[in-house]
Amino acid sequence: MMASTVVKRLGLPGLLGTLLLAGAAWCQWDWLPQQRDQAEVQASKARQLRHELLQSAQAIGGPASTLTPAEAWQALWQKMPEAAQRTPLQSAVMASARDRGLILTTVQFNGTAQGSTGLWRQRLILPVEGRYADVRAWLGQLLSEPALSLDALDIQRADVMSDAVKAKVSISLWWRQAPVLTKGVR
């Protein structure tokens, strides 16, 4: 009898407000502390994993990287091929496809300078045909090249029982050239 009197006095808005207040209190005192505890456990696991990875890298003989971002960029810059090597790089990509027995029909080239840093990006779109295993091996060989990145890959198989596929591979070749000097506008 007492509960029905309280409900009548509060009305629907008061009852909803009380329920929302109770839900907020439950979130504050029960659910939120559980979430914080879980986050702390995950952070602890991440720190432990980071520590183990650093130890294993040092055990293998790879020193922990103490390079600043500028030093890391400089080290990467020195490993990039020079502009004079661009034609052999492009030829090597196409020759490696032919060496794997892939049919390379046409190649689309699109090159652009990446700002004024002297970094050049040559995009190649290569439609190839051949066996799936050959396409996969060729891609593995390409990805071992540090100055190459895979941008997109589309593989289609006309017959599910066939090993023959058609692939459209989009890659980028990267090299360095003299930085572009820009003149100030007066």
Side-chain angles (χ1 to χ4, degrees):
M1 215 187 246
M2 179 94 158
S4 65
T5 306
V6 171
V7 171
K8 284 182 182 177
R9 281 194 178 177
L10 288 175
L12 185 59
L15 185 61
L16 286 175
T18 304
L19 288 174
L20 287 173
L21 186 60
W26 172 78
C27 283
Q28 178 68 28
W29 291 309
D30 187 44
W31 183 77
L32 195 57
Q34 288 177 4
Q35 296 302 311
R36 283 189 194 126
D37 292 344
Q38 287 179 359
E40 287 176 14
V41 167
Q42 292 299 324
S44 176
K45 286 181 182 178
R47 284 190 299 273
Q48 178 66 26
L49 181 61
R50 187 177 308 119
H51 179 71
E52 290 171 2
L53 287 172
L54 284 173
Q55 282 183 337
S56 66
Q58 290 172 350
I60 293 173
S65 178
T66 57
L67 298 176
T68 65
E71 292 169 339
W73 170 249
Q74 199 61 352
L76 177 65
W77 180 258
Q78 293 304 320
K79 291 180 184 176
M80 286 288 200
E82 294 181 358
Q85 297 170 321
R86 68 180 176 263
T87 304
L89 279 172
Q90 294 167 351
S91 298
V93 167
M94 292 178 274
S96 66
R98 286 187 216 104
D99 291 345
R100 295 275 179 189
L102 300 175
I103 300 169
L104 185 62
T105 53
T106 60
V107 180
Q108 295 177 11
F109 295 90
N110 183 9
T112 57
Q114 301 297 302
S116 61
T117 62
L119 185 63
W120 185 270
R121 179 182 189 183
Q122 179 73 49
R123 290 185 178 173
L124 285 83
I125 299 175
L126 306 147
V128 296
E129 295 179 28
R131 292 185 16 207
Y132 175 77
D134 294 335
V135 172
R136 188 173 173 155
W138 175 61
L139 288 173
Q141 179 184 355
L142 289 181
L143 291 176
S144 67
E145 173 64 42
L148 184 141
S149 63
L150 179 64
D151 298 332
L153 174 63
D154 178 33
I155 298 179
Q156 296 179 359
R157 184 178 296 192
D159 181 16
V160 293
M161 299 305 289
S162 173
D163 194 26
V165 295
K166 290 182 179 182
K168 186 176 182 182
V169 181
S170 177
I171 60 170
S172 291
L173 292 172
W174 302 86
W175 59 78
R176 59 187 162 114
Q177 58 187 16
V180 178
L181 299 176
T182 57
K183 295 180 181 179
V185 178
R186 294 183 191 202

